[in-house]
Amino acid sequence: MIRFTRAGKYTTFFFVLFCFLQPITSHSSGILDGMVFTISINEVESDVSFNDGTFQSSFWKHDGYREGKYTTTVNGVEIYFEANLVNDENENIQWQGVVSGDNITGKYYRTEKGWFVFGDTTRRATFQGELK
């Protein structure tokens, strides 16, 4: 028969609490800095880079989308990130993805301004790639 002492009960409680809180930690940004990935979006290749707390896509940079800040959440060995890129017309691309080892996967939502009575258009695309 296993018998816990009073100190053992508290130790067990805090150990279990620590185990549940440890795997998921949130970071404002910067943990992916210096990484560049070559990704494929609908059979088109692009480089995405993380530098100084910002995210940029080489493909969308040519269309005037400026680099944007990114945020991360760590869950074990996976790093989840979100970023938002905006161009001069105030159109945006919201990126969501996961970095696991040398691989990156995710999706983005691109919102274009509509004409007069036609509303804004949002398109979704998925991507995957590897560390460059």
Side-chain angles (χ1 to χ4, degrees):
M1 178 174 173
I2 299 174
R3 217 174 133 179
F4 290 101
T5 64
R6 195 172 227 350
K9 288 179 185 176
Y10 292 119
T11 303
T12 303
F13 171 76
F14 286 113
F15 176 75
V16 170
L17 181 64
F18 176 77
C19 288
F20 280 108
L21 295 178
Q22 183 60 28
I24 300 175
T25 55
S26 185
H27 299 274
S28 58
S29 64
I31 194 169
L32 296 172
D33 282 357
M35 296 182 127
V36 178
F37 294 88
T38 300
I39 63 170
S40 177
I41 306 169
N42 298 330
E43 299 181 15
V44 175
E45 284 197 0
S46 173
D47 286 344
V48 293
S49 57
F50 299 87
N51 290 306
D52 298 324
T54 62
F55 172 86
Q56 181 59 280
S57 164
S58 63
F59 180 80
W60 291 111
K61 183 177 182 177
H62 298 293
D63 283 351
Y65 286 90
R66 296 179 298 280
E67 63 188 13
K69 292 184 179 182
Y70 73 90
T71 58
T72 57
T73 303
V74 178
N75 185 1
V77 296
E78 295 180 329
I79 303 170
Y80 295 82
F81 72 90
E82 292 185 3
N84 191 41
L85 306 181
V86 180
N87 67 11
D88 291 335
E89 297 173 15
N90 209 26
E91 298 172 328
N92 67 33
I93 304 175
Q94 296 175 326
W95 295 75
Q96 300 171 344
V98 180
V99 173
S100 182
D102 290 345
N103 298 312
I104 187 170
T105 58
K107 59 189 170 194
Y108 70 79
Y109 299 91
R110 179 177 177 221
T111 302
E112 299 175 336
K113 295 290 182 191
W115 284 56
F116 190 54
V117 294
F118 303 107
D120 294 350
T121 303
T122 300
R123 295 193 170 107
R124 177 183 181 266
T126 58
F127 63 89
Q128 60 185 4
E130 295 180 343
L131 191 62
K132 192 169 181 181

